Amino acid sequence: MMVNCGLLTDRKESVPLKSNEVQLEVKDHVATVVSTLNYENKEDKPLEAVFVFPLPGDAAVCHFSAQIGQTHIVAEVKEKQQALEEYDDALSSGQQAFLLEESDQSPDIFSLSVGSLPPGESASIRLEYVTELAVQADDGLRFCLPTVLNPRYHPRGNKCFRVHMTSVPASLVPYSLSFSARVSSPRPISKVESNCSLEPLEYLNADQTQATVGRELMAAGHKFDRDVELLIYYKDAHQPTAVVEAGQASAKPGSLMGDPVVMVSLYPEFPQDVMSSLASRGEFVFLMDRSGSMNYTRISSARDTLLLLMKSLPMGCYFNIYSFGSRFEHIFPTSVEYSEKTMEEALKEVEKMEANLGGTEILLPLKHIYAQPCIPKQFRQVKTEMVPNIVLTFGIGAGASSALINGMAKEGGGHAQFITGTDRMQPKVRTICLFALQPAVEDISVSWDLPKGVSSTILSPPITAMFQGQRSLIYAQLTGQNYFEEKVKKLRTEREFVFIKIFKLHLQLSLSSVFRLTVHMLAARTVIRSLESEQRTHRGQQDEEVKKKKVVELSVQSGVSSSFTALIAVNKDVGKAVQGPLVRRNIPTPFYGSDSQICLYFSFYVTGPVVTHEAASPPPRKDPLLQLVSLQKASGCWLLDADLAAALGKASEEVKKAKPASVNSEVWASILALIWLHGFKMDAKEEWELLTLKAASWIKAQNGNKHNLQGTVVLTSVY
């Protein structure tokens, strides 16, 4: 009987990948990630190990090297087809070669090929990337280490890679994972939280601006059933930060890598008088996923969330609800004015929706939505040749495509939220909804007051609007080499007389070299992604080739990966060729149930959750909160009837009898509803806060302020 030893795949094949060691270094809101993958060939024949894995969609892969014994090989960035040919040629001649390539279809999926690994030999692959940290609803910075790579939906005929992906249940992944993080910031670190069991936060200095966490995750029970998520909280989170990074000494002056680059992070907290009123206009388009892959629990949660959102919309706005799969549908031919009639009609249709529209073709409904004419005096009014639509997105579950979620939000000038593990959808949707209902700061201009002889070139897409709680980054290239050369020679950390004026905000910047060209690489990635996006949207072949050439040139110059390049390393020091035919070993990646599904939230001005539905009919609502919310009228009030009494847990006569004679019935009902929410559902305040603001505004409009005290005084007689 044959006995298999070591780590095995589900096909009883030895797995050459043994471990993945991840080191995270966070500097303020920028992260550098170093991943070391350790391989060992325990078979009696040479192997080619192929590993398909996810990375954050906005990451800039900037280093790839291999260590085989005493030999260290650093990869070069080359045009993708050229790199593929060099890799194949190397394997054909018996040389060891290593190839890292980004998927043509999605920038958050990579393929790592380790070729000609002889029997008994080990290799360590070092992969390094930099990324920006997204800001969450509670001011935390979110870092996500993707460990789950679930099958993604691709239109028929579309292929991600030339390689085959192998998957196993998340609990059976045959390699280990260790993770450690070091955090440093100019501001004190309040706390660090994780969805995995990490060691307690350890501060490294007295002012708490440096700290570490870490753990051997497999030893701590991590089963690759979820991505590793880290939430980092700083004091004075809304304080703007900026840094000017010196250019690379070996790079050509005037090039992006040769000139200094400035990065400004803005996370403004607008004055209360600006934020005191909610928007009373706007067009809200909810795009809902009705493909056949969404589970009942998520659909039920999304339905409840949409109920809360629909009740929170302001009178005078317009809305519509689209749903999609292989085809798309819409409730109304065009967006309609929000009223009791249209709200109820829409909610009834949502309740009947099933997950019966096939695949997940989102492009067609988006094209249809954006082709609709603007509604006068609503937020979609045309101010320039471009329509200022705001796109807000959700990523739900482990394995959601960060490239899609973050990319669409960034392209739409909006915001992205991720809902993982046991997170409740409603609080995060409430944050997204606040973006839509609050006034947006528009007509943003950036002016630079620079020293004589220094000029700036903005590298980031223009900021068209900003919301409370939204973080924006600005990258700019500074030219004036002589000025900066003199300053660098004098003192790299000296305060420079460089000012940026934004929202009447003056920031004094420091010339710094401590980021190791991190800012330059992030700026290069920003330009590369923008060029790639333009290349995909241009129809002319000549334009496409021009954009592709620019991407390849910048990718090679900066060392940052792109969809048109790959990183290739060939070990040319091998004394003799590796003998024997290569055996392919696809490293298995974890999958975890249906958590790979993605819910999105879109709109012209705002977006709504992708509300999904299974074929089975939902059970009747039993949640008292949702029962009460469902009774609220579009205007914001409640009716004093038996349904309200039942939701409050009281008899109808008991509620009506307690009403003071001088108080209007609807005002009294609305006061009771607000008191009940504040008295019994404070733990869910984030879910109902918006609709109660609308109710309070309605009461005030009815001249009902004088009745609030009366309602409170007789509270004991009702509850």
Side-chain angles (χ1 to χ4, degrees), residues 583-601:
V583 178
R584 171 73 67 85
R585 289 289 182 259
N586 293 320
I587 308 299
T589 56
F591 69 85
Y592 187 64
S594 59
D595 278 353
S596 61
Q597 306 308 328
I598 304 168
C599 284
L600 304 172
Y601 182 81

Side-chain angles (χ1 to χ4, degrees), residues 391-468:
V391 178
L392 307 174
T393 61
F394 285 111
I396 301 179
S401 172
S402 62
L404 180 62
I405 305 303
N406 287 324
M408 298 195 77
K410 184 170 291 188
E411 289 292 326
H415 185 75
Q417 286 281 333
F418 288 85
I419 301 169
T420 59
T422 59
D423 288 349
R424 283 180 59 78
M425 185 183 297
Q426 286 81 357
K428 296 198 175 186
V429 172
R430 174 257 187 191
T431 301
I432 290 291
C433 195
L434 271 177
F435 283 161
L437 295 176
Q438 67 178 292
V441 175
E442 298 175 309
D443 299 325
I444 299 171
S445 62
V446 179
S447 62
W448 301 76
D449 184 7
L450 299 169
K452 186 177 180 179
V454 179
S455 60
S456 65
T457 302
I458 302 293
L459 304 175
S460 309
I463 302 173
T464 56
M466 287 190 71
F467 300 92
Q468 177 89 324

Side-chain angles (χ1 to χ4, degrees), residues 343-354:
M343 181 192 73
E344 290 297 333
E345 183 179 347
L347 289 177
K348 286 179 181 178
E349 291 299 315
V350 169
E351 287 295 333
K352 295 187 292 185
M353 288 182 178
E354 298 180 354

Side-chain angles (χ1 to χ4, degrees), residues 128-203:
E128 184 173 336
Y129 64 88
V130 293
T131 186
E132 302 160 358
L133 300 183
V135 179
Q136 296 301 286
D138 59 356
D139 296 339
L141 293 173
R142 179 181 184 265
F143 168 77
C144 178
L145 175 68
T147 62
V148 179
L149 177 59
N150 283 299
R152 305 270 175 80
Y153 176 80
H154 295 283
R156 185 175 298 176
N158 249 341
K159 293 183 179 179
C160 252
F161 285 113
R162 60 174 186 164
V163 300
H164 173 69
M165 290 187 290
T166 303
S167 59
V168 297
S171 60
L172 300 180
V173 172
Y175 43 86
S176 64
L177 172 67
S178 61
F179 176 82
S180 62
R182 182 186 178 100
V183 183
S184 60
S185 172
R187 295 160 288 177
I189 303 162
S190 299
K191 60 180 177 178
V192 176
E193 297 178 347
S194 177
N195 63 342
C196 298
S197 178
L198 299 179
E199 295 173 356
L201 183 69
E202 180 181 349
Y203 290 107

Side-chain angles (χ1 to χ4, degrees), residues 474-539:
I474 300 175
Y475 295 97
Q477 180 179 347
L478 303 179
T479 55
Q481 192 69 17
N482 292 336
Y483 171 84
F484 285 103
E485 282 181 352
E486 293 173 4
K487 294 297 181 182
V488 171
K489 290 177 181 178
K490 184 177 180 183
L491 183 63
R492 284 185 178 272
T493 58
E494 180 182 350
R495 303 293 287 184
E496 301 298 329
F497 296 97
V498 181
F499 294 90
I500 296 177
K501 300 177 182 178
I502 295 182
F503 305 134
K504 299 181 180 179
L505 172 68
H506 290 67
L507 298 176
Q508 190 168 18
L509 309 181
S510 306
L511 186 62
S512 172
S513 61
V514 298
F515 276 77
R516 298 181 304 170
L517 293 177
T518 300
V519 173
H520 280 73
M521 289 183 288
L522 288 173
R525 185 224 48 197
T526 298
V527 177
I528 286 172
R529 293 299 185 226
S530 178
L531 289 170
E532 288 174 334
S533 177
E534 292 177 14
Q535 194 268 351
R536 286 191 292 269
T537 55
H538 282 281
R539 294 187 177 181

Side-chain angles (χ1 to χ4, degrees), residues 2 9 26 38 126 180 187 253 257 433 535 605 626 672 717:
M2 180 179 295
T9 69
V26 176
N38 298 304
R126 179 186 172 96
S180 62
R187 295 160 288 177
M257 299 304 291
C433 195
Q535 194 268 351
Y605 175 72
L626 296 175
L672 292 181
S717 67

